[in-house]
Amino acid sequence: MRYLLGLIFVLTLAAGGVFLVAGRMSGPSIEIAKPEKFVGVSTPLEIAVAAPLLAGLRVVLQQNGKETPLFSLSDPKGANVRQDGADRLRVSQEIGRKTVPDLQSGPARLVVTASRKVVYGIRTVESTATRDVQVRLERPRVSVISTFHFINHGGSEMVVYRVSPADVQSGVLVGDVEYPGYPASGATVEGVRISDPAVRVAFFALLHDQDRNTPIRAFARDEAGNTGRADLDFRVFPKPFKRSRIQLEDRFLDRVVRAILEGTTDVRPEGDALAKFLVINGELRRKNAEKIASFAKQTAPEMLWRGIVFHPFTNTAVESAFADHRTYVYKGKEVDQQTHLGFDLASFAGTPIVSANRGKVLFADELGIYGNCVIVDHGMGVQSLYAHLSSIDVQPGQMVDKTQQLGRSGMTGLAGGDHLHFTFLVNGRMVNPVEWWDAHWIEDRILRKLRTTS
Ligand SMILES: [Zn+2]
């Protein structure tokens, strides 16, 4: 009998000990992925909870002494709940006026509480995570100041607009392609200067492969994700793009394939010269375009260029215009199609190649199909590119003046003979350079708008 009582005593003590230890076991791990800092008119909430035997999960928003339930495991409402592996749950939903009807601008706190069962379900352990956020419910405003926007298909345009508050991100949306705006105080062509801090300038393009009816609008977006939009009056002019056929000769294939593959690790094609050429002309062309586009984010926020027009390379013969649609033919068979997004200008071999305008060299190196290539930044997302050079005379980071020599023409990269491949970039997208050589175009699309705003 005494033994039995003793045994019961020991067992009770052990159970109590387990119960206490279990209480100190950790609760589920909680990760609040979104929002990071701001909640706007409609902001995604994303939470991940990891624990075996998750028993409960509750998300609330606390603001001005009130608590609004956003989610609970027993009543998920409109939330998207996903199992991510055996012991991980992801919850996503929107926070906004719909889920929190009396949401107000100002500080708020997200509180996430999760619990799990331990010791065969005898006890529950809980953990809590919080995130302090700022609620912003006022949409930023954007209004277009400039008038008469005329866009050549494949070409560029500029818009002047006003945003408020002045510290929001803004620009132009052409379909789903975004072009950032820059403070208009950085626009100083012809001494024209706009000092109003709310005024912005954005260069944008209607790309050769975008539909002519693509919507074009100015936008402003704050840190909470609130977006304001404004229409701009514009007209699109169609530009017929040429079609051409390029005959591929074995001698050409052997030369360019070997030279390009020696200088790149971006592609490693197998097979004969034609098979390798097709990888270079497709996959490497695409990778090179991505690399070129990546320099957009290094652009200066102000205009670096001087004078009215860009240097037009008038002493050269145009061999190929912008956005030529090229069909490649090998031994009588069509083997590939690509669009040529630049101008090919031929003069004599080893012609000095000069910068089209003042700017900063961002790239001066070998680049796949472009061979020896130089990219010059003229500011506000406007850049120029010079390819197939035989030699390069400049270095990245260097400022160059208008008509300063960048190098000499050549036939490096994917070039059939000595020529300059020249193109213009607007926020990393290849656009028709011809417009930038035209004083009338610069006057109407850029100077007129800056003058009437200032
Ligand atoms: Zn070319």
Side-chain angles (χ1 to χ4, degrees), residues 34-45 61 70 94-97 99-100 103-106 108 110 131-138 222-226:
K34 282 180 186 173
E36 278 179 35
K37 277 187 199 151
F38 296 97
V39 168
V41 175
S42 177
T43 300
L45 167 76
L61 187 86
L70 292 175
E94 297 281 305
I95 314 176
R97 277 258 164 78
T99 41
V100 187
L103 190 65
Q104 282 168 15
S105 288
L110 269 171
R131 164 109 1 126
D132 290 320
V133 293
Q134 282 293 324
V135 179
R136 282 194 186 172
L137 298 174
E138 300 75 29
D222 70 12
E223 287 166 297
N226 300 313

PDB file of all heavy atoms in Angstrom, residues 34-45 61 70 94-97 99-100 103-106 108 110 131-138 222-226:
ATOM      1  N   LYS A  34       4.469  40.642 -44.963  1.00  0.00           N
ATOM      2  CA  LYS A  34       3.892  41.904 -45.429  1.00  0.00           C
ATOM      3  C   LYS A  34       2.721  42.281 -44.530  1.00  0.00           C
ATOM      4  O   LYS A  34       2.024  41.386 -44.071  1.00  0.00           O
ATOM      5  CB  LYS A  34       3.358  41.738 -46.856  1.00  0.00           C
ATOM      6  CG  LYS A  34       4.420  41.758 -47.922  1.00  0.00           C
ATOM      7  CD  LYS A  34       3.753  41.595 -49.274  1.00  0.00           C
ATOM      8  CE  LYS A  34       4.807  41.466 -50.377  1.00  0.00           C
ATOM      9  NZ  LYS A  34       4.185  41.133 -51.665  1.00  0.00           N
ATOM     10  N   PRO A  35       2.462  43.538 -44.301  1.00  0.00           N
ATOM     11  CA  PRO A  35       3.204  44.718 -44.778  1.00  0.00           C
ATOM     12  C   PRO A  35       4.467  44.954 -43.965  1.00  0.00           C
ATOM     13  O   PRO A  35       4.552  44.543 -42.813  1.00  0.00           O
ATOM     14  CB  PRO A  35       2.200  45.855 -44.545  1.00  0.00           C
ATOM     15  CG  PRO A  35       1.363  45.391 -43.402  1.00  0.00           C
ATOM     16  CD  PRO A  35       1.283  43.901 -43.510  1.00  0.00           C
ATOM     17  N   GLU A  36       5.438  45.652 -44.599  1.00  0.00           N
ATOM     18  CA  GLU A  36       6.680  45.943 -43.894  1.00  0.00           C
ATOM     19  C   GLU A  36       6.539  47.172 -43.017  1.00  0.00           C
ATOM     20  O   GLU A  36       6.931  47.155 -41.854  1.00  0.00           O
ATOM     21  CB  GLU A  36       7.805  46.140 -44.896  1.00  0.00           C
ATOM     22  CG  GLU A  36       8.385  44.819 -45.354  1.00  0.00           C
ATOM     23  CD  GLU A  36       9.489  45.005 -46.362  1.00  0.00           C
ATOM     24  OE1 GLU A  36      10.235  45.991 -46.251  1.00  0.00           O
ATOM     25  OE2 GLU A  36       9.591  44.174 -47.278  1.00  0.00           O
ATOM     26  N   LYS A  37       6.007  48.254 -43.599  1.00  0.00           N
ATOM     27  CA  LYS A  37       5.938  49.515 -42.847  1.00  0.00           C
ATOM     28  C   LYS A  37       4.604  50.217 -43.030  1.00  0.00           C
ATOM     29  O   LYS A  37       4.139  50.896 -42.136  1.00  0.00           O
ATOM     30  CB  LYS A  37       7.024  50.480 -43.358  1.00  0.00           C
ATOM     31  CG  LYS A  37       8.380  50.258 -42.767  1.00  0.00           C
ATOM     32  CD  LYS A  37       9.312  51.380 -43.206  1.00  0.00           C
ATOM     33  CE  LYS A  37      10.771  50.995 -43.047  1.00  0.00           C
ATOM     34  NZ  LYS A  37      11.621  51.679 -44.014  1.00  0.00           N
ATOM     35  N   PHE A  38       4.021  50.081 -44.238  1.00  0.00           N
ATOM     36  CA  PHE A  38       2.866  50.904 -44.565  1.00  0.00           C
ATOM     37  C   PHE A  38       1.637  50.081 -44.914  1.00  0.00           C
ATOM     38  O   PHE A  38       1.741  49.021 -45.513  1.00  0.00           O
ATOM     39  CB  PHE A  38       3.191  51.817 -45.758  1.00  0.00           C
ATOM     40  CG  PHE A  38       4.265  52.806 -45.454  1.00  0.00           C
ATOM     41  CD1 PHE A  38       5.575  52.555 -45.822  1.00  0.00           C
ATOM     42  CD2 PHE A  38       3.968  53.983 -44.778  1.00  0.00           C
ATOM     43  CE1 PHE A  38       6.582  53.461 -45.537  1.00  0.00           C
ATOM     44  CE2 PHE A  38       4.971  54.897 -44.486  1.00  0.00           C
ATOM     45  CZ  PHE A  38       6.283  54.638 -44.864  1.00  0.00           C
ATOM     46  N   VAL A  39       0.494  50.636 -44.553  1.00  0.00           N
ATOM     47  CA  VAL A  39      -0.781  50.063 -44.972  1.00  0.00           C
ATOM     48  C   VAL A  39      -1.520  51.158 -45.731  1.00  0.00           C
ATOM     49  O   VAL A  39      -1.633  52.288 -45.235  1.00  0.00           O
ATOM     50  CB  VAL A  39      -1.597  49.586 -43.748  1.00  0.00           C
ATOM     51  CG1 VAL A  39      -3.038  49.270 -44.146  1.00  0.00           C
ATOM     52  CG2 VAL A  39      -0.946  48.358 -43.123  1.00  0.00           C
ATOM     53  N   GLY A  40      -1.988  50.830 -46.935  1.00  0.00           N
ATOM     54  CA  GLY A  40      -2.671  51.822 -47.760  1.00  0.00           C
ATOM     55  C   GLY A  40      -4.132  51.485 -47.939  1.00  0.00           C
ATOM     56  O   GLY A  40      -4.728  50.755 -47.143  1.00  0.00           O
ATOM     57  N   VAL A  41      -4.712  52.005 -49.025  1.00  0.00           N
ATOM     58  CA  VAL A  41      -6.123  51.773 -49.324  1.00  0.00           C
ATOM     59  C   VAL A  41      -6.398  50.271 -49.419  1.00  0.00           C
ATOM     60  O   VAL A  41      -7.424  49.776 -48.979  1.00  0.00           O
ATOM     61  CB  VAL A  41      -6.498  52.486 -50.641  1.00  0.00           C
ATOM     62  CG1 VAL A  41      -7.918  52.159 -51.049  1.00  0.00           C
ATOM     63  CG2 VAL A  41      -6.307  53.992 -50.491  1.00  0.00           C
ATOM     64  N   SER A  42      -5.468  49.553 -50.007  1.00  0.00           N
ATOM     65  CA  SER A  42      -5.584  48.100 -50.092  1.00  0.00           C
ATOM     66  C   SER A  42      -4.179  47.511 -50.120  1.00  0.00           C
ATOM     67  O   SER A  42      -3.456  47.676 -51.082  1.00  0.00           O
ATOM     68  CB  SER A  42      -6.359  47.719 -51.358  1.00  0.00           C
ATOM     69  OG  SER A  42      -6.404  46.327 -51.455  1.00  0.00           O
ATOM     70  N   THR A  43      -3.793  46.861 -49.035  1.00  0.00           N
ATOM     71  CA  THR A  43      -2.410  46.401 -48.866  1.00  0.00           C
ATOM     72  C   THR A  43      -2.384  44.908 -48.579  1.00  0.00           C
ATOM     73  O   THR A  43      -3.159  44.430 -47.752  1.00  0.00           O
ATOM     74  CB  THR A  43      -1.755  47.164 -47.689  1.00  0.00           C
ATOM     75  OG1 THR A  43      -1.781  48.549 -47.988  1.00  0.00           O
ATOM     76  CG2 THR A  43      -0.336  46.730 -47.439  1.00  0.00           C
ATOM     77  N   PRO A  44      -1.526  44.157 -49.248  1.00  0.00           N
ATOM     78  CA  PRO A  44      -1.458  42.725 -48.960  1.00  0.00           C
ATOM     79  C   PRO A  44      -0.883  42.429 -47.569  1.00  0.00           C
ATOM     80  O   PRO A  44       0.076  43.068 -47.147  1.00  0.00           O
ATOM     81  CB  PRO A  44      -0.555  42.166 -50.059  1.00  0.00           C
ATOM     82  CG  PRO A  44       0.081  43.325 -50.711  1.00  0.00           C
ATOM     83  CD  PRO A  44      -0.642  44.574 -50.324  1.00  0.00           C
ATOM     84  N   LEU A  45      -1.529  41.474 -46.894  1.00  0.00           N
ATOM     85  CA  LEU A  45      -1.048  40.947 -45.620  1.00  0.00           C
ATOM     86  C   LEU A  45      -0.564  39.533 -45.907  1.00  0.00           C
ATOM     87  O   LEU A  45      -1.284  38.745 -46.509  1.00  0.00           O
ATOM     88  CB  LEU A  45      -2.202  40.911 -44.618  1.00  0.00           C
ATOM     89  CG  LEU A  45      -1.993  40.104 -43.328  1.00  0.00           C
ATOM     90  CD1 LEU A  45      -1.100  40.871 -42.369  1.00  0.00           C
ATOM     91  CD2 LEU A  45      -3.322  39.794 -42.660  1.00  0.00           C
ATOM     92  N   LEU A  61      -5.792  43.857 -35.995  1.00  0.00           N
ATOM     93  CA  LEU A  61      -5.192  45.174 -36.188  1.00  0.00           C
ATOM     94  C   LEU A  61      -5.646  46.068 -35.043  1.00  0.00           C
ATOM     95  O   LEU A  61      -6.854  46.209 -34.804  1.00  0.00           O
ATOM     96  CB  LEU A  61      -5.626  45.778 -37.526  1.00  0.00           C
ATOM     97  CG  LEU A  61      -4.896  47.082 -37.855  1.00  0.00           C
ATOM     98  CD1 LEU A  61      -3.566  46.790 -38.550  1.00  0.00           C
ATOM     99  CD2 LEU A  61      -5.739  47.994 -38.733  1.00  0.00           C
ATOM    100  N   LEU A  70      -8.711  40.361 -38.149  1.00  0.00           N
ATOM    101  CA  LEU A  70      -8.500  40.255 -39.594  1.00  0.00           C
ATOM    102  C   LEU A  70      -8.618  38.808 -40.054  1.00  0.00           C
ATOM    103  O   LEU A  70      -9.074  38.525 -41.147  1.00  0.00           O
ATOM    104  CB  LEU A  70      -7.106  40.771 -39.961  1.00  0.00           C
ATOM    105  CG  LEU A  70      -6.856  42.265 -39.785  1.00  0.00           C
ATOM    106  CD1 LEU A  70      -5.400  42.586 -40.063  1.00  0.00           C
ATOM    107  CD2 LEU A  70      -7.748  43.076 -40.709  1.00  0.00           C
ATOM    108  N   GLU A  94      -6.086  40.897 -47.966  1.00  0.00           N
ATOM    109  CA  GLU A  94      -5.892  42.333 -48.110  1.00  0.00           C
ATOM    110  C   GLU A  94      -6.283  43.025 -46.811  1.00  0.00           C
ATOM    111  O   GLU A  94      -7.250  42.642 -46.165  1.00  0.00           O
ATOM    112  CB  GLU A  94      -6.784  42.872 -49.227  1.00  0.00           C
ATOM    113  CG  GLU A  94      -6.472  42.318 -50.612  1.00  0.00           C
ATOM    114  CD  GLU A  94      -5.268  42.980 -51.246  1.00  0.00           C
ATOM    115  OE1 GLU A  94      -5.262  44.224 -51.345  1.00  0.00           O
ATOM    116  OE2 GLU A  94      -4.343  42.251 -51.655  1.00  0.00           O
ATOM    117  N   ILE A  95      -5.495  44.045 -46.447  1.00  0.00           N
ATOM    118  CA  ILE A  95      -5.932  44.926 -45.361  1.00  0.00           C
ATOM    119  C   ILE A  95      -6.365  46.221 -46.031  1.00  0.00           C
ATOM    120  O   ILE A  95      -5.676  46.734 -46.902  1.00  0.00           O
ATOM    121  CB  ILE A  95      -4.801  45.302 -44.388  1.00  0.00           C
ATOM    122  CG1 ILE A  95      -3.984  44.079 -43.993  1.00  0.00           C
ATOM    123  CG2 ILE A  95      -5.363  46.014 -43.170  1.00  0.00           C
ATOM    124  CD1 ILE A  95      -2.804  44.452 -43.103  1.00  0.00           C
ATOM    125  N   GLY A  96      -7.478  46.751 -45.616  1.00  0.00           N
ATOM    126  CA  GLY A  96      -7.955  48.004 -46.190  1.00  0.00           C
ATOM    127  C   GLY A  96      -9.294  48.340 -45.594  1.00  0.00           C
ATOM    128  O   GLY A  96      -9.711  47.752 -44.586  1.00  0.00           O
ATOM    129  N   ARG A  97      -9.979  49.301 -46.230  1.00  0.00           N
ATOM    130  CA  ARG A  97     -11.272  49.745 -45.706  1.00  0.00           C
ATOM    131  C   ARG A  97     -12.305  48.608 -45.669  1.00  0.00           C
ATOM    132  O   ARG A  97     -13.190  48.602 -44.821  1.00  0.00           O
ATOM    133  CB  ARG A  97     -11.809  50.886 -46.586  1.00  0.00           C
ATOM    134  CG  ARG A  97     -11.217  52.223 -46.208  1.00  0.00           C
ATOM    135  CD  ARG A  97     -12.184  53.048 -45.374  1.00  0.00           C
ATOM    136  NE  ARG A  97     -11.544  54.151 -44.686  1.00  0.00           N
ATOM    137  CZ  ARG A  97     -11.203  55.300 -45.264  1.00  0.00           C
ATOM    138  NH1 ARG A  97     -11.440  55.468 -46.551  1.00  0.00           N
ATOM    139  NH2 ARG A  97     -10.633  56.252 -44.574  1.00  0.00           N
ATOM    140  N   THR A  99     -11.757  45.344 -45.008  1.00  0.00           N
ATOM    141  CA  THR A  99     -11.548  44.455 -43.862  1.00  0.00           C
ATOM    142  C   THR A  99     -11.565  45.217 -42.544  1.00  0.00           C
ATOM    143  O   THR A  99     -11.901  44.648 -41.509  1.00  0.00           O
ATOM    144  CB  THR A  99     -10.212  43.689 -44.008  1.00  0.00           C
ATOM    145  OG1 THR A  99      -9.230  44.600 -44.513  1.00  0.00           O
ATOM    146  CG2 THR A  99     -10.337  42.530 -44.956  1.00  0.00           C
ATOM    147  N   VAL A 100     -11.165  46.496 -42.582  1.00  0.00           N
ATOM    148  CA  VAL A 100     -11.178  47.319 -41.362  1.00  0.00           C
ATOM    149  C   VAL A 100     -11.953  48.599 -41.674  1.00  0.00           C
ATOM    150  O   VAL A 100     -11.376  49.596 -42.086  1.00  0.00           O
ATOM    151  CB  VAL A 100      -9.733  47.663 -40.905  1.00  0.00           C
ATOM    152  CG1 VAL A 100      -9.749  48.362 -39.551  1.00  0.00           C
ATOM    153  CG2 VAL A 100      -8.876  46.411 -40.861  1.00  0.00           C
ATOM    154  N   LEU A 103     -10.758  52.028 -40.445  1.00  0.00           N
ATOM    155  CA  LEU A 103      -9.317  52.254 -40.600  1.00  0.00           C
ATOM    156  C   LEU A 103      -9.055  53.749 -40.825  1.00  0.00           C
ATOM    157  O   LEU A 103      -9.789  54.400 -41.575  1.00  0.00           O
ATOM    158  CB  LEU A 103      -8.822  51.452 -41.816  1.00  0.00           C
ATOM    159  CG  LEU A 103      -7.313  51.338 -42.033  1.00  0.00           C
ATOM    160  CD1 LEU A 103      -6.653  50.550 -40.910  1.00  0.00           C
ATOM    161  CD2 LEU A 103      -7.031  50.646 -43.372  1.00  0.00           C
ATOM    162  N   GLN A 104      -8.050  54.275 -40.139  1.00  0.00           N
ATOM    163  CA  GLN A 104      -7.726  55.702 -40.278  1.00  0.00           C
ATOM    164  C   GLN A 104      -6.242  55.885 -40.537  1.00  0.00           C
ATOM    165  O   GLN A 104      -5.427  55.069 -40.106  1.00  0.00           O
ATOM    166  CB  GLN A 104      -8.116  56.446 -38.995  1.00  0.00           C
ATOM    167  CG  GLN A 104      -9.607  56.709 -38.918  1.00  0.00           C
ATOM    168  CD  GLN A 104     -10.031  57.174 -37.548  1.00  0.00           C
ATOM    169  OE1 GLN A 104      -9.202  57.566 -36.731  1.00  0.00           O
ATOM    170  NE2 GLN A 104     -11.322  57.144 -37.295  1.00  0.00           N
ATOM    171  N   SER A 105      -5.883  56.974 -41.199  1.00  0.00           N
ATOM    172  CA  SER A 105      -4.475  57.282 -41.409  1.00  0.00           C
ATOM    173  C   SER A 105      -3.809  57.511 -40.063  1.00  0.00           C
ATOM    174  O   SER A 105      -4.392  58.135 -39.185  1.00  0.00           O
ATOM    175  CB  SER A 105      -4.331  58.527 -42.284  1.00  0.00           C
ATOM    176  OG  SER A 105      -4.697  58.211 -43.603  1.00  0.00           O
ATOM    177  N   GLY A 106      -2.606  56.973 -39.909  1.00  0.00           N
ATOM    178  CA  GLY A 106      -1.881  57.121 -38.648  1.00  0.00           C
ATOM    179  C   GLY A 106      -1.271  55.796 -38.237  1.00  0.00           C
ATOM    180  O   GLY A 106      -1.329  54.815 -38.986  1.00  0.00           O
ATOM    181  N   ALA A 108      -0.634  52.162 -36.449  1.00  0.00           N
ATOM    182  CA  ALA A 108      -1.445  50.998 -36.081  1.00  0.00           C
ATOM    183  C   ALA A 108      -0.498  49.844 -35.794  1.00  0.00           C
ATOM    184  O   ALA A 108       0.692  49.915 -36.113  1.00  0.00           O
ATOM    185  CB  ALA A 108      -2.403  50.645 -37.208  1.00  0.00           C
ATOM    186  N   LEU A 110      -0.127  45.499 -35.967  1.00  0.00           N
ATOM    187  CA  LEU A 110      -0.626  44.160 -36.319  1.00  0.00           C
ATOM    188  C   LEU A 110      -0.177  43.197 -35.232  1.00  0.00           C
ATOM    189  O   LEU A 110       0.993  43.213 -34.837  1.00  0.00           O
ATOM    190  CB  LEU A 110       0.031  43.700 -37.618  1.00  0.00           C
ATOM    191  CG  LEU A 110      -0.663  44.020 -38.927  1.00  0.00           C
ATOM    192  CD1 LEU A 110       0.272  43.666 -40.063  1.00  0.00           C
ATOM    193  CD2 LEU A 110      -1.952  43.227 -39.068  1.00  0.00           C
ATOM    194  N   ARG A 131       3.768  43.915 -35.437  1.00  0.00           N
ATOM    195  CA  ARG A 131       4.417  44.817 -36.409  1.00  0.00           C
ATOM    196  C   ARG A 131       3.719  46.165 -36.345  1.00  0.00           C
ATOM    197  O   ARG A 131       2.499  46.244 -36.483  1.00  0.00           O
ATOM    198  CB  ARG A 131       4.324  44.211 -37.810  1.00  0.00           C
ATOM    199  CG  ARG A 131       4.589  45.147 -38.915  1.00  0.00           C
ATOM    200  CD  ARG A 131       5.900  44.966 -39.693  1.00  0.00           C
ATOM    201  NE  ARG A 131       6.812  43.918 -39.360  1.00  0.00           N
ATOM    202  CZ  ARG A 131       7.265  43.017 -40.230  1.00  0.00           C
ATOM    203  NH1 ARG A 131       6.833  43.012 -41.466  1.00  0.00           N
ATOM    204  NH2 ARG A 131       8.133  42.114 -39.852  1.00  0.00           N
ATOM    205  N   ASP A 132       4.523  47.194 -36.085  1.00  0.00           N
ATOM    206  CA  ASP A 132       3.978  48.555 -36.086  1.00  0.00           C
ATOM    207  C   ASP A 132       3.987  49.089 -37.513  1.00  0.00           C
ATOM    208  O   ASP A 132       4.998  48.993 -38.203  1.00  0.00           O
ATOM    209  CB  ASP A 132       4.813  49.457 -35.170  1.00  0.00           C
ATOM    210  CG  ASP A 132       4.607  49.070 -33.711  1.00  0.00           C
ATOM    211  OD1 ASP A 132       3.449  48.765 -33.347  1.00  0.00           O
ATOM    212  OD2 ASP A 132       5.593  49.038 -32.944  1.00  0.00           O
ATOM    213  N   VAL A 133       2.862  49.618 -37.938  1.00  0.00           N
ATOM    214  CA  VAL A 133       2.742  50.123 -39.317  1.00  0.00           C
ATOM    215  C   VAL A 133       2.174  51.544 -39.317  1.00  0.00           C
ATOM    216  O   VAL A 133       1.601  51.988 -38.329  1.00  0.00           O
ATOM    217  CB  VAL A 133       1.828  49.206 -40.176  1.00  0.00           C
ATOM    218  CG1 VAL A 133       2.461  47.851 -40.394  1.00  0.00           C
ATOM    219  CG2 VAL A 133       0.438  49.058 -39.556  1.00  0.00           C
ATOM    220  N   GLN A 134       2.356  52.213 -40.436  1.00  0.00           N
ATOM    221  CA  GLN A 134       1.738  53.525 -40.663  1.00  0.00           C
ATOM    222  C   GLN A 134       0.634  53.332 -41.693  1.00  0.00           C
ATOM    223  O   GLN A 134       0.877  52.765 -42.752  1.00  0.00           O
ATOM    224  CB  GLN A 134       2.766  54.511 -41.230  1.00  0.00           C
ATOM    225  CG  GLN A 134       3.732  55.095 -40.202  1.00  0.00           C
ATOM    226  CD  GLN A 134       3.028  56.011 -39.207  1.00  0.00           C
ATOM    227  OE1 GLN A 134       2.091  56.730 -39.565  1.00  0.00           O
ATOM    228  NE2 GLN A 134       3.476  55.975 -37.955  1.00  0.00           N
ATOM    229  N   VAL A 135      -0.552  53.795 -41.360  1.00  0.00           N
ATOM    230  CA  VAL A 135      -1.663  53.703 -42.315  1.00  0.00           C
ATOM    231  C   VAL A 135      -1.744  55.014 -43.096  1.00  0.00           C
ATOM    232  O   VAL A 135      -1.706  56.099 -42.502  1.00  0.00           O
ATOM    233  CB  VAL A 135      -2.999  53.431 -41.579  1.00  0.00           C
ATOM    234  CG1 VAL A 135      -4.146  53.356 -42.587  1.00  0.00           C
ATOM    235  CG2 VAL A 135      -2.909  52.147 -40.768  1.00  0.00           C
ATOM    236  N   ARG A 136      -1.800  54.892 -44.422  1.00  0.00           N
ATOM    237  CA  ARG A 136      -1.956  56.071 -45.289  1.00  0.00           C
ATOM    238  C   ARG A 136      -3.097  55.810 -46.240  1.00  0.00           C
ATOM    239  O   ARG A 136      -3.033  54.891 -47.058  1.00  0.00           O
ATOM    240  CB  ARG A 136      -0.689  56.306 -46.114  1.00  0.00           C
ATOM    241  CG  ARG A 136       0.412  56.938 -45.341  1.00  0.00           C
ATOM    242  CD  ARG A 136       1.459  57.440 -46.310  1.00  0.00           C
ATOM    243  NE  ARG A 136       2.616  57.943 -45.610  1.00  0.00           N
ATOM    244  CZ  ARG A 136       3.736  58.300 -46.204  1.00  0.00           C
ATOM    245  NH1 ARG A 136       3.844  58.192 -47.517  1.00  0.00           N
ATOM    246  NH2 ARG A 136       4.732  58.763 -45.509  1.00  0.00           N
ATOM    247  N   LEU A 137      -4.131  56.597 -46.135  1.00  0.00           N
ATOM    248  CA  LEU A 137      -5.312  56.331 -46.962  1.00  0.00           C
ATOM    249  C   LEU A 137      -5.543  57.386 -48.038  1.00  0.00           C
ATOM    250  O   LEU A 137      -6.460  57.271 -48.837  1.00  0.00           O
ATOM    251  CB  LEU A 137      -6.555  56.212 -46.071  1.00  0.00           C
ATOM    252  CG  LEU A 137      -6.488  55.063 -45.060  1.00  0.00           C
ATOM    253  CD1 LEU A 137      -7.671  55.098 -44.125  1.00  0.00           C
ATOM    254  CD2 LEU A 137      -6.429  53.719 -45.775  1.00  0.00           C
ATOM    255  N   GLU A 138      -4.682  58.428 -48.077  1.00  0.00           N
ATOM    256  CA  GLU A 138      -4.853  59.458 -49.107  1.00  0.00           C
ATOM    257  C   GLU A 138      -4.075  59.021 -50.338  1.00  0.00           C
ATOM    258  O   GLU A 138      -2.865  58.775 -50.260  1.00  0.00           O
ATOM    259  CB  GLU A 138      -4.314  60.812 -48.615  1.00  0.00           C
ATOM    260  CG  GLU A 138      -4.993  61.345 -47.357  1.00  0.00           C
ATOM    261  CD  GLU A 138      -4.576  60.623 -46.074  1.00  0.00           C
ATOM    262  OE1 GLU A 138      -3.436  60.121 -46.006  1.00  0.00           O
ATOM    263  OE2 GLU A 138      -5.421  60.527 -45.160  1.00  0.00           O
ATOM    264  N   ASP A 222       2.613  55.998 -53.660  1.00  0.00           N
ATOM    265  CA  ASP A 222       3.318  56.226 -52.397  1.00  0.00           C
ATOM    266  C   ASP A 222       3.823  54.904 -51.808  1.00  0.00           C
ATOM    267  O   ASP A 222       3.604  53.834 -52.373  1.00  0.00           O
ATOM    268  CB  ASP A 222       2.447  57.023 -51.414  1.00  0.00           C
ATOM    269  CG  ASP A 222       1.260  56.217 -50.885  1.00  0.00           C
ATOM    270  OD1 ASP A 222       1.221  54.984 -51.084  1.00  0.00           O
ATOM    271  OD2 ASP A 222       0.366  56.826 -50.267  1.00  0.00           O
ATOM    272  N   GLU A 223       4.494  55.016 -50.657  1.00  0.00           N
ATOM    273  CA  GLU A 223       5.115  53.825 -50.052  1.00  0.00           C
ATOM    274  C   GLU A 223       4.088  52.815 -49.572  1.00  0.00           C
ATOM    275  O   GLU A 223       4.397  51.646 -49.395  1.00  0.00           O
ATOM    276  CB  GLU A 223       5.994  54.249 -48.876  1.00  0.00           C
ATOM    277  CG  GLU A 223       7.265  54.919 -49.311  1.00  0.00           C
ATOM    278  CD  GLU A 223       7.944  55.619 -48.159  1.00  0.00           C
ATOM    279  OE1 GLU A 223       7.332  56.557 -47.614  1.00  0.00           O
ATOM    280  OE2 GLU A 223       9.049  55.228 -47.794  1.00  0.00           O
ATOM    281  N   ALA A 224       2.848  53.284 -49.342  1.00  0.00           N
ATOM    282  CA  ALA A 224       1.789  52.370 -48.900  1.00  0.00           C
ATOM    283  C   ALA A 224       1.136  51.659 -50.083  1.00  0.00           C
ATOM    284  O   ALA A 224       0.229  50.850 -49.902  1.00  0.00           O
ATOM    285  CB  ALA A 224       0.749  53.135 -48.105  1.00  0.00           C
ATOM    286  N   GLY A 225       1.613  51.965 -51.304  1.00  0.00           N
ATOM    287  CA  GLY A 225       1.060  51.308 -52.485  1.00  0.00           C
ATOM    288  C   GLY A 225      -0.165  52.011 -53.047  1.00  0.00           C
ATOM    289  O   GLY A 225      -0.771  51.536 -54.013  1.00  0.00           O
ATOM    290  N   ASN A 226      -0.550  53.158 -52.470  1.00  0.00           N
ATOM    291  CA  ASN A 226      -1.676  53.916 -53.020  1.00  0.00           C
ATOM    292  C   ASN A 226      -1.242  54.544 -54.344  1.00  0.00           C
ATOM    293  O   ASN A 226      -0.152  55.093 -54.440  1.00  0.00           O
ATOM    294  CB  ASN A 226      -2.089  55.037 -52.066  1.00  0.00           C
ATOM    295  CG  ASN A 226      -2.510  54.500 -50.717  1.00  0.00           C
ATOM    296  OD1 ASN A 226      -3.286  53.546 -50.644  1.00  0.00           O
ATOM    297  ND2 ASN A 226      -1.989  55.089 -49.656  1.00  0.00           N
TER     298      ASN A 226
END
